[in-house]
C-alpha cells in the first residue's frame, strides 16, 4: 500500500464510489453514514442488529465533513452519525435531518499516540515542544480544517502553544482512521487520534491523553436524514441507545450519553 493509499483510507473517494451500492440498498437495508472513528464499535453493533432483528444495515465510513457534504448532494443515507456537533448543525441548518430524531449519542477523548515499540514519553502541558519529539518525522492528524478529530487536535495544540512549531510538519489524512494507520505502519512517529481509535489498533500505544479543556467537547450526535424513507431507520436509532449497543460502545472506550433506551 502506498502512502497516498494510506492517506485516502476510508476517504471521500471511497465513500463516493459506494453511492450506487447504497442506492440499491435503500429499499430494504438501513443506510448509515458514520464517522470513521465509529467503525470498530458500529460494525459490531450492526452485526448484533442483524442477529436480533433479521434486518441489515449498510454503513459508509468517512470523515464527518465528507459524509455531510455527500448527504447535502443527495446521497441516499437514512442515518447520519457525526463526530462533532458542527457537521450535524450544518445539515440541520439546511433542513436535511429530522430535528425531532436528533440526539447526542457518545463522547470521546483525544490522545497522542506512537507506534507500539516507540519510547516516546511526553507531558501534554503548556510549552510542549512537539517538534523536537518528532525528530525528522511528521505528526499524523486528520484534516485540521474540516475533520472533527483534526479540528480538536489543532485546538488542543494551539492551547498548549505547540501548533506554530509543528503546523508545517503535519501529515494530513482524510479522516482519523487514516491518521491512525500512518502511526501504526511506522510512517509517522506520533499522531493525534481518539482514544477509541487507539484501542482498536494493536500497533500503536497511547503516549498521553489531552485534557478535555484544551478543545471543544467531543460529542457524537445522530439523526435520521430528512429524505429517509426506510421505516427501520428510527428503530435502528433506538437500538443504538439500547443495552447491547451501549456495551459495544463502552468496550471500545466511548462514553455513552443519556439514559439507555428500552427499545432494543
Amino acid at each position: 500500500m502506498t502512502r497516498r493509499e494510506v492517506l485516502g483510507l476510508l476517504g471521500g473517494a471511497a465513500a463516493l464510489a459506494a453511492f450506487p451500492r447504497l442506492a440499491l440498498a435503500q429499499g430494504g437495508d438501513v443506510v448509515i453514514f458514520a464517522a470513521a472513528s465509529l467503525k470498530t464499535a458500529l460494525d459490531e453493533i450492526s452485526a448484533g442488529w442483524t442477529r436480533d432483528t433479521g434486518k441489515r444495515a449498510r454503513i459508509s465510513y468517512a470523515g464527518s465533513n465528507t459524509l455531510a457534504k455527500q448527504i447535502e448532494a443527495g446521497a441516499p443515507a437514512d442515518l447520519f452519525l457525526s463526530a462533532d456537533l458542527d457537521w450535524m448543525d450544518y445539515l440541520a441548518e439546511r433542513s436535511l435531518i429530522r430535528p425531532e430524531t436528533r440526539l447526542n449519542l457518545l463522547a470521546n477523548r483525544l490522545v497522542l499516540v506512537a507506534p507500539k515499540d516507540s519510547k516516546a514519553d511526553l507531558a501534554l502541558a503548556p510549552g510542549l515542544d512537539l517538534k523536537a519529539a518528532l525528530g525528522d518525522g511528521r505528526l499524523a492528524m486528520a484534516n485540521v480544517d474540516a475533520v472533527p478529530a483534526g479540528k480538536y487536535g489543532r485546538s488542543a495544540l494551539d492551547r498548549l502553544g505547540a501548533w506554530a512549531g509543528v503546523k508545517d510538519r503535519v501529515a494530513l489524512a482524510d479522516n482519523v482512521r487514516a491518521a491512525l494507520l500512518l502511526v501504526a505502519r511506522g510512517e509517522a512517529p506520533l499522531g493525534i487520534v481518539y482514544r477509541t481509535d487507539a484501542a482498536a489498533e494493536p500497533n500503536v500505544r497511547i503516549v498521553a491523553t489531552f485534557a478535555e479543556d484544551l478543545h471543544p467537547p467531543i460529542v457524537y450526535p445522530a439523526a435520521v436524514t430528512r429524505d429517509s424513507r426506510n421505516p427501520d431507520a428510527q428503530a435502528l436509532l433506538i437500538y443504538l441507545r439500547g443495552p447491547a449497543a451501549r456495551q459495544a460502545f463502552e468496550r471500545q472506550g466511548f462514553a455513552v450519553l443519556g439514559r439507555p433506551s428500552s427499545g432494543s
Side-chain angles (χ1 to χ4, degrees), residues 70 92 111 117 163 184 217 242:
Q70 290 175 357
V111 298
D117 296 327
W163 175 249

Side-chain angles (χ1 to χ4, degrees), residues 62-251:
S64 300
N65 57 312
T66 297
L67 298 172
K69 290 286 190 177
Q70 290 175 357
I71 291 171
E72 183 182 25
D78 295 305
L79 292 176
F80 177 47
L81 278 66
S82 174
D84 75 352
L85 298 173
D86 289 349
W87 286 108
M88 187 65 78
D89 289 344
Y90 180 90
L91 293 185
E93 289 162 2
R94 289 157 178 77
S95 300
L96 291 172
I97 61 168
R98 298 182 187 177
E100 71 278 8
T101 69
R102 179 175 175 171
L103 55 89
N104 290 337
L105 184 64
L106 304 167
N108 210 339
R109 294 294 300 274
L110 198 68
V111 298
L112 183 71
V113 294
K116 66 177 181 179
D117 296 327
S118 169
K119 305 301 182 185
D121 183 17
L122 294 170
L124 299 177
L128 170 68
D129 188 358
L130 196 53
K131 183 176 181 180
L134 289 171
D136 294 330
R138 291 184 173 271
L139 177 67
M141 296 179 67
N143 187 313
V144 298
D145 294 319
V147 180
K151 294 193 295 181
Y152 294 133
R154 177 174 179 171
S155 172
L157 294 180
D158 267 331
R159 293 286 300 276
L160 292 171
W163 175 249
V166 298
K167 64 181 181 180
D168 296 325
R169 300 283 303 282
V170 175
L172 293 178
D174 287 337
N175 59 70
V176 69
R177 284 296 176 99
L180 177 71
L181 188 55
L182 287 174
V183 180
R185 290 171 57 91
E187 296 187 23
L190 293 169
I192 297 177
V193 300
Y194 297 122
R195 175 177 62 188
T196 52
D197 297 308
E201 175 51 70
N203 291 313
V204 305
R205 68 175 184 86
I206 295 176
V207 175
T209 300
F210 288 91
E212 291 182 281
D213 62 0
L214 292 174
H215 53 74
I218 300 174
V219 176
Y220 288 65
V224 177
T225 63
R226 181 196 66 190
D227 294 335
S228 173
R229 298 294 179 267
N230 194 317
D232 294 325
Q234 180 67 41
L236 180 50
L237 185 58
I238 293 171
Y239 186 88
L240 291 174
R241 301 200 78 183
R246 185 184 191 95
Q247 291 171 15
F249 283 131
E250 289 179 344
R251 277 194 297 272

